[in-house]
Each structure stands twice: as structure tokens, then as C-alpha cells.
Amino acid sequence: MRLKGKIIKYGDNINTDEIIPAVYLVSVDPEKLAEHCMEAIDKDFVRKVKSSPIMVAGKNFGCGSSREHAPLALKGAGVKCVVASSFARIFFRNAINIGLLIVESKECVEKSLEEDILEIDTEKGVIKNITRGTFFSSAKYPEFIQRLIEMGGIDSWVKERI
Amino acid sequence: MQMTISEKILAAHSEKNKVKPGEFIIANVDLAFANDITAPLAIEKFKKWQAKRIFDEEKIVLIPDHFTPNKDVMAAEQCSLMRKFAREYGVKNYFEVGRCGIEHIFLPEQGFSIPGELIIGADSHTCTHGALGAFACGVGSTDIAAVMATGKIWLKVPSSIKFVYTGKLPPWSVAKDLILYTIGDIGVDGASYMTMEFSGPVISQMSMAGRLTMCNMAVEAGAKNGIIAADEMTINYLRKRTNKPYQLYKTDAGATFVEVREYNVEKIEPQIACPHLPSKTKSVLEIGDIKIDEVVIGSCTNGHLEDLKLAATLLKGKKIHPELRAIVLPGTPQIYLEALKQGLIEIFIQAGCVVGPATCGPCLGGHMGILAEGEKAIATTNRNFIGRMGHPKSEVYLSNPAVAAASAIKGRIAHPEEVK
């Protein structure tokens, strides 16, 4: 998969309470969830992400609760891909399962700034920072995960087993 | 090949003789559960896939504990959806308000959590159940939907860190302080994707409630699961709770750990995790003067009877500070009843606390004690992220129940010695 877009950037340990506060977990509608996405730390997130759909963040992205509403809210808000130095494990599973693209590249996170334009090629594992003319490699997924990503989530895997 | 308890359980559940860290397995699940926040999404997926039936009606638990008793109309709709699904698909273990408690206290209490089993929950604190020698880890709603439909889950076999605790804890320091200290030491991603295996003489002598508290917070260090080898204490705990046969696994002498961390606990004073990360820990002796608006004693971390007893020893015959409110939430109806019989509830009410039902409520900023802008709380809960208990400009400090009770009396974060 290849995609290109402008960056919106945050720090380390962005947790699920920040991505979507628990008080809003009374809905499973991605668009409703999206209205409150990231509001505790960035009131303008929903507006900004429309023109900057690539979210870049530091280590341990998505730590905290198991709420799948977190990747759903990001997806609903229009996030096309999250690039982080590392991901917390339940968020990682949830994103893969529901088909939110996530890419791990510490180098890209450290050397890219807000509003830079990235071009991400998940098959080659290469990220190009078009603004700066730099290239970074992203962590390669194990075969099993790669297959789930290619299937756009876990749906087909489950359907084969029902 | 020498294996850890976790590896042995995962091998047994994926029909293999051995598994290695990093390996992907498809595992058979013994117990899977979801709550009123995570179940609705799982149900949506289950129906979207047109799954005809639940793989095993006995092995699924639906437990409305987060926003219950229903905090508003939308929460009520989520619970209603869950209730109808349980009836329609014959889920045997749906527990209604008044007959259910906070999942990670209620399920062990009722004998659902068994040594050697693979337990999967759509709640991050599912790692709690590892205290009984099970492999237990939190996942999302889609994963639980997949388990409901197939009985199976994909897992990556984690590598393990061994934590060994020796020595005698100072007075007023308990399991909560050990786990906060450990998270403070290794950081919120210090055990990312890994197993935290807790061991040593301190753990051997620790009560089951304490062990549950330790394993409960493994996820706050990023761990996949926390685990403690089942022993005599576990067997005694299970005696009145289950007739189900279970398997006791031990870690082999030559099993591989990426790291072994040893702690002498003698100088671990009660710990405070300061805003806004569970790893920002300090000894209560170093905390300084922090005025508090609200105290919460409860949650899946510290809503056990033993926690209430500890708080009550300090609150007995005293009044809480006039400028704060204190909320006590026993973890299950059975704990509530036992606390009532033992006079603890009277102690709390006489002191000026409000005693509420078993609910996750305020811990995740749901209801029953939300914080206003600028307010500070000390809570026996597990997370203190920005906005966790209410307004984005409120603050949460995490502690053990004795420190929370002492702070309730003093109106500021206090060492239990100050009010003893």
C-alpha cells in the first residue's frame, strides 16, 4: 500500500484516554467518536487532521485501555496512517484487526516535523519525507501480521473459521 | 526445551509441545469476557460476520461493570444490547447489576479464573487473572468477537522478564506499592509486549488479593500478561470456588528470561504515581504538600475486602477532611456484604465517605465521582493519564488504600503514620 500526506505530530505515550475519553464510549459509531478524538490534548485535532491525515507520534502509542474505540475514532476522524516509534500491544492488535494502517519507524518520528509531507510504501517498508528529501525504513511485520494487513483486517480470517 | 509458565500454557493451548518467544500461534481460549463498553462493538462484529452461534456458551462471560448502574440513556442502550444478545445466543454467564461486580475481582471471586487456563478479556486489566497462574491478557472487541465465533485467538508468544521480591515490606506498604515501584523503575513501556513473572518470598507470602493487585497493573508497564505460579495459597483460594480440574504449571529452572530484576523491598515506602503517568512514582515521604479534592477507594486494582479493611483501620472513629469528598466502591456485592458484616461500611459512612455500588465508574471518568477543572484526586485505581477521571485539567495521584484513607483525613496526600 502507498499513501502520501501531511503530518500531524505528537509526543510519547499518547494513550487511549487521550485518543478518546471514556465518557464518550457510549457509542460505536466511528464518526461520533471522531468528534471527540484527541480533544484533551489538542482541541483542533479534528480540523487539522483533515489536511494532515498522517499522525506521527513517539513511543508507546495507544497505551492504556483495550478500547477499540481508539483506532476507530482515529479512522473516523480521517487518519490514514499512524507512524510511531513504538505501539502499545492492545492498540497494535486493534489497529491491525480493524484495518487502520500503522507503521513503526523511530527514525522517521525523530527526523520529521509537523506539516512535513511523507510518502509511505508499506510493502517496501520505506518512508520518504518529501519536504526534506530524506528516506527512512519502517519495521517489517511478521508474515502473519502482513497477511492480516493485506486482508484489511481480521474479518476474512474469522469468516474462514466460522 | 525449558519453558516458563506462560510458554507452557500457550503451548498446551495451541496443541504444540513447545513454543518460543516471537512465534505466532492460534490458541484455544478457555474463558473470554467483555464488559458494557467493549461488548457492544464485539456484538456488532459478531453479527456483521453472520456468525450463527457462540462457540461455547459456557466459556463466554458478559459483565456490565463500567458505566453501571446505567449512567445515562446511551449507556443504558449499550447494556440493553448486551443483555438481549446474551438471551438470544444463550450466553450462560451474563451477570446483571446487583449480581455482578468489577470483572477482575468478580471473576476470580466466583471461580471463573483457573490456573493453567488461557483467559482473554476485552479489557486491558485482564492481566489481573494471571495472579492465579493463568495466562490472561487483554485484547480489543474484534478479538473477543472472533473468540465468540471461533473459540480461537491469534497470539504472539511473549518473551518474559522475571521479577524477584525479597525482604520485609515497611509498615503500610502493600502489593500496590510494589507494583507502582516496579512500574516507576522500568517505565510505562518497560515490559512492552512481554510477560511479567512475579516471584520470590514476598510474592509467596502475599495474599491472593495482593497478587491480583500486582498482576492487575502489569499492563501499565506495557506487559501482555502478569503471572504468578499457583501454589498452596492459590489452591486454598480455589477450594470453595470451583470444582473444575486445573493444571499447575511451574517455570523450568533453565527457562529463558530476557531479564531478571531483583528487588529488596525493605525500603519501599508507600508509593505515589504522580500525574500523568503510572510510572511517575515517588515515595509518599517525598511528595510534599499536595491538597486533595477527592479520594477514591475501589476499582479492579484495590476494590478487594482486604483493601477496604486497610482503609478502615485508619478511618475508624475519624472524620474525613471537611474540604474533600471520599468515595468507597467495594469491588463486588459479596465484598460489600462482607464489609457490611464486619462494620467497615459503618466506619466509612461515619467518617463522611459515600459508599457506592461495585462499578468501575470514576476510575475511567465514567460516573460516580468525576473531577472538575483544576481538581486533584488521590485514587487507589490504576491510571492517571490526562483527563482520566474527568476534566482534562484535573489531576490524579495513584496510591494504596492506606495512603488514600490517610489523605482523606488530612486533606492532602499523607503517610498513614500521620493519622495512625
Side-chain angles (χ1 to χ4, degrees):
Chain A
M1 197 181 293
R2 281 175 79 157
L3 69 138
K4 192 168 136 182
K6 221 187 322 175
I7 292 178
I8 184 166
K9 195 172 176 184
Y10 299 95
D12 291 337
N13 302 314
I14 295 297
N15 57 75
T16 55
D17 280 287
E18 289 167 357
I19 298 170
I20 182 74
V23 72
Y24 304 117
L25 304 181
V26 287
S27 172
V28 296
D29 178 352
E31 282 178 20
K32 278 208 180 110
L33 294 168
E35 290 168 19
H36 302 286
C37 193
M38 298 290 286
E39 70 178 19
I41 54 171
D42 186 354
K43 283 205 162 47
D44 293 328
F45 174 80
V46 178
R47 186 184 53 79
K48 286 195 272 187
V49 83
K50 295 212 179 341
S51 55
S52 302
I54 296 184
M55 197 168 174
V56 172
K59 62 174 186 169
N60 205 25
F61 185 91
C63 62
S65 100
S66 70
R67 63 189 72 159
E68 204 163 293
H69 310 65
L72 270 182
L74 292 171
K75 225 176 155 183
V79 171
K80 296 275 180 282
C81 177
V82 183
V83 182
S85 307
S86 65
F87 291 92
R89 64 161 281 275
I90 306 180
F91 182 90
F92 181 91
R93 296 185 71 93
N94 287 343
I96 298 291
N97 282 342
I98 69 159
L100 170 70
L101 199 60
I102 54 175
V103 172
E104 203 177 289
S105 174
K106 191 165 175 259
E107 210 190 350
C108 173
V109 173
E110 283 168 358
K111 293 178 179 165
S112 300
L113 297 175
E114 179 134 337
E115 303 220 323
D116 284 1
I117 294 171
L118 295 186
E119 189 173 54
I120 300 167
D121 185 330
T122 57
E123 270 145 57
K124 288 194 184 137
V126 175
I127 306 172
K128 181 179 180 187
N129 185 322
I130 293 176
T131 313
R132 288 165 208 284
T134 43
F135 291 87
F136 313 107
S137 58
S138 61
K140 214 167 157 45
Y141 288 121
E143 200 188 319
F144 179 79
I145 298 289
Q146 189 60 43
R147 218 167 51 228
L148 288 182
I149 293 171
E150 281 158 19
M151 294 192 291
I154 202 174
D155 289 15
S156 323
W157 185 87
V158 176
K159 282 184 183 160
E160 282 166 18
R161 285 169 174 77
I162 293 178
Chain B
M1 189 183 136
Q2 312 295 305
M3 289 193 286
T4 65
I5 313 168
S6 296
E7 288 157 4
K8 288 181 185 180
I9 296 173
L10 292 179
H13 286 77
S14 54
E15 290 140 29
K16 288 170 185 273
N17 294 325
K18 57 175 185 177
V19 292
K20 278 194 301 216
E23 184 179 341
F24 280 81
I25 57 166
I26 308 297
N28 299 312
V29 176
D30 296 311
L31 177 71
F33 56 90
N35 57 53
D36 51 314
I37 287 179
T38 55
L41 257 178
I43 292 167
E44 189 185 62
K45 277 285 166 72
F46 187 85
K47 292 195 165 168
K48 187 183 146 202
W49 295 331
Q50 297 175 312
K52 296 222 166 30
R53 54 176 291 271
I54 291 203
F55 88 103
D56 185 336
E57 294 84 352
E58 305 273 352
K59 291 182 176 175
I60 300 293
V61 180
L62 295 176
I63 184 161
D65 61 352
H66 275 61
F67 291 164
T68 50
N70 302 340
K71 82 178 175 80
D72 54 26
V73 174
M74 289 175 86
E77 295 295 344
Q78 304 232 90
C79 288
S80 168
L81 176 84
M82 202 171 156
R83 190 178 298 120
K84 284 178 189 152
F85 177 83
R87 285 183 193 147
E88 190 183 340
Y89 288 86
V91 174
K92 295 269 191 305
N93 300 304
Y94 167 78
F95 293 97
E96 194 55 85
V97 170
R99 283 141 285 171
C100 84
I102 299 172
E103 51 198 331
H104 310 304
I105 300 185
F106 182 76
L107 294 177
E109 176 194 278
Q110 298 297 315
F112 281 96
S113 316
I114 307 284
E117 294 212 330
L118 175 60
I119 301 175
I120 302 293
D123 188 278
S124 60
H125 291 109
T126 303
C127 48
T128 311
H129 308 253
L132 289 115
F135 187 98
C137 75
V139 298
S141 298
T142 299
D143 279 317
I144 287 298
V147 176
M148 288 199 298
T150 68
K152 295 181 192 298
I153 188 157
W154 67 267
L155 291 171
K156 186 165 104 174
V157 178
S159 52
S160 298
I161 308 181
K162 186 177 185 177
F163 296 84
V164 186
Y165 301 90
T166 56
K168 190 171 175 293
L169 276 164
W172 306 110
S173 286
V174 288
K176 180 67 167 285
D177 304 298
L178 279 192
I179 190 63
L180 285 177
Y181 185 86
T182 305
I183 296 164
D185 185 40
I186 66 172
V188 286
D189 61 349
S192 206
Y193 291 85
M194 289 190 262
T195 296
M196 294 174 86
E197 187 171 319
F198 302 113
S199 62
V202 177
I203 303 296
S204 302
Q205 284 155 35
M206 189 178 273
S207 68
M208 198 48 69
R211 295 180 186 188
L212 289 161
T213 302
M214 293 285 296
C215 289
N216 173 270
M217 289 192 73
V219 66
E220 303 329 325
K224 182 168 205 152
N225 67 314
I227 200 161
I228 294 171
D231 58 9
E232 274 305 308
M233 177 114 49
T234 323
I235 295 166
N236 286 334
Y237 178 87
L238 287 163
R239 198 155 282 145
K240 287 185 200 144
R241 301 172 201 269
T242 186
N243 296 320
K244 220 176 143 185
Y246 51 82
Q247 188 128 17
L248 302 175
Y249 292 101
K250 291 236 174 302
T251 288
D252 295 324
T256 306
F257 289 96
V258 290
E259 199 182 353
V260 178
R261 298 184 79 87
E262 295 186 33
Y263 296 95
N264 182 325
V265 305
E266 297 198 0
K267 293 202 172 83
I268 302 181
E269 283 291 328
Q271 298 288 301
I272 307 288
C274 299
H276 292 285
L277 285 177
S279 58
K280 288 183 125 181
T281 53
K282 275 184 188 169
S283 149
V284 66
L285 298 169
E286 300 162 354
I287 199 78
D289 186 18
I290 294 173
K291 204 175 156 290
I292 291 295
D293 301 288
E294 180 172 301
V295 177
V296 172
I297 298 172
S299 86
C300 60
T301 312
N302 281 128
H304 299 277
L305 184 66
E306 162 179 320
D307 299 317
L308 302 186
K309 274 189 194 165
L310 183 60
T313 55
L314 292 162
L315 287 163
K316 190 173 184 182
K318 299 219 171 58
K319 296 282 180 201
I320 63 168
H321 194 275
E323 286 170 28
L324 62 68
R325 65 267 176 190
I327 300 159
V328 182
L329 302 170
T332 66
Q334 197 174 311
I335 292 171
Y336 198 127
L337 197 58
E338 197 51 44
L340 192 67
K341 285 183 188 159
Q342 295 188 16
L344 310 180
I345 302 296
E346 189 174 344
I347 291 171
F348 295 135
I349 294 174
Q350 293 284 10
C353 306
V354 59
V355 182
T359 179
C360 309
C363 169
L364 73 163
H367 63 158
M368 301 256 174
I370 306 287
L371 300 176
E373 181 171 358
E375 287 192 327
K376 290 184 169 72
I378 188 160
T380 67
T381 57
N382 42 57
R383 289 194 180 124
N384 54 355
F385 299 143
I386 292 171
R388 172 75 178 174
M389 285 179 65
H391 196 281
K393 286 189 179 132
S394 60
E395 290 184 346
V396 181
Y397 293 81
L398 305 175
S399 78
N400 78 29
V403 173
S407 306
I409 295 164
K410 287 295 199 184
R412 60 173 167 80
I413 298 181
H415 194 293
E417 284 294 334
E418 294 184 54
V419 297
K420 190 182 64 159

